[in-house]
Amino acid sequence: MRAPRSLLLPLALCTAPLASYATAGEPACKGTVYLTLDTGNMRHAEAIAEILHKHHVKATFFVAQEKTSRGDMALDASWAAYWKARVAEGHAFGSHTWRHGAFRQDLDDGRVSYQLMDGTRERLDSAQICAEVKQSDLRFAELTGRHLDPIWRAPGGHTTPLALKAARQCGYRHVGWSPAGFLGDELPSRTYPNETLLKRALANIRDGDVLLAHLGIWSRQDPFAPMLDPLIAGLKVRGFCFATVAGTP
């Protein structure tokens, strides 16, 4: 589970331009929100795809080579059909780094401390940071024939000035999320039940907010993913349209 500090990340971290999308036949938007989905363990990937299709919503997927609930990895060939289908539906895609590590701090030698999922740390220079972000792009193109959009999201929202600069220099802008857009699907369901998270989101989300959820979370007992259905419906009732996040170098 990511640290709850994600709740405090400012909207200013969303540095990419935003490209709007509206479904034909729907009333004019009173506001626009941006649903983003990080890979996670992919347990609810298909169910979420069905919800998006049901509501004619385009989302932005941030992809990393993470272990899935099926025992494989999210960017293995076994997931090619899933990603190809999402590409055909017109969603947007960004890098979530390759190994889903955390950029912890800038070091005196000009490198960045990068903590991997097993707790080990590496020191990455600018070229290595670029490679870490770009590898997911290259792999996604191998699987689908489509490169990622020139955007990325650091796992847990952990960035440093040097990491942001290195990624920007190789063509990727960082996209964070709004405080109200943190949907809480990585929080303990015992203390943050789905209905509470849903009510909070419907009450607090505002025009321009970037929403964050995952395609599956290991630690949550009662998955939040089914709540995306009433959340999207409720936000549409409030007059919001949904857009994808897009960026340019």
Side-chain angles (χ1 to χ4, degrees):
M1 186 181 92
R2 295 178 186 166
R5 70 183 290 273
S6 303
L7 285 162
L8 304 176
L9 287 174
L11 180 58
L13 278 179
C14 183
T15 55
L18 300 173
S20 62
Y21 167 88
T23 303
E26 291 186 352
C29 302
K30 295 179 182 177
T32 304
V33 294
Y34 307 88
L35 177 60
T36 66
L37 299 159
D38 296 352
T39 41
N41 68 18
M42 303 289 287
R43 184 185 301 274
H44 308 292
E46 292 289 356
I48 289 174
E50 291 177 5
I51 291 171
L52 298 178
H53 179 73
K54 171 184 176 180
H55 292 283
H56 307 287
V57 163
K58 300 293 185 286
T60 304
F61 294 81
F62 287 93
V63 300
Q65 181 69 325
E66 295 189 68
K67 184 178 180 180
T68 81
S69 59
R70 301 194 319 201
D72 55 6
M73 305 294 280
L75 294 176
D76 282 354
S78 50
W79 284 95
Y82 177 84
W83 294 121
K84 286 179 180 178
R86 306 292 79 76
V87 168
E89 290 166 350
H91 299 284
F93 304 89
S95 174
H96 199 33
T97 74
W98 178 245
R99 294 176 291 173
H100 199 263
F103 294 96
R104 291 300 184 187
Q105 66 182 97
D106 292 338
L107 304 172
D108 292 340
D109 61 3
R111 293 184 290 179
V112 178
S113 177
Y114 187 60
Q115 183 174 330
L116 301 175
M117 296 294 288
D118 62 4
T120 60
R121 293 201 181 199
E122 298 179 359
R123 292 178 170 225
L124 304 185
D125 60 23
S126 294
Q128 291 168 320
I129 292 169
C130 180
E132 182 69 25
V133 175
K134 193 176 184 64
Q135 182 60 34
S136 291
D137 189 351
L138 297 175
R139 179 56 177 165
F140 195 81
E142 289 177 353
L143 293 178
T144 69
R146 179 206 194 278
H147 277 282
L148 300 178
D149 296 296
I151 53 178
W152 75 292
R153 169 175 288 157
H158 298 290
T159 62
T160 73
L162 287 179
L164 291 171
K165 180 180 179 181
R168 188 166 57 248
Q169 287 176 337
C170 63
Y172 300 87
R173 294 191 179 198
H174 190 262
V175 176
W177 56 90
S178 309
F182 179 76
L183 299 179
D185 64 345
E186 59 196 89
L187 299 174
S189 55
R190 182 175 300 177
T191 50
Y192 296 91
N194 282 339
E195 288 300 326
T196 297
L197 294 176
L198 176 62
K199 289 178 181 178
R200 184 178 72 180
L202 287 173
N204 296 333
I205 289 172
R206 296 291 183 267
D207 180 29
D209 279 348
V210 178
L211 283 51
L212 166 67
H214 302 78
L215 298 180
I217 290 291
W218 293 105
S219 58
R220 189 170 176 87
Q221 185 175 9
D222 186 15
F224 181 79
M227 295 295 101
L228 289 175
D229 189 354
L231 175 64
I232 292 172
L235 290 174
K236 284 191 172 187
V237 167
R238 287 183 57 194
F240 289 118
C241 293
F242 286 79
T244 61
V245 177
T248 55

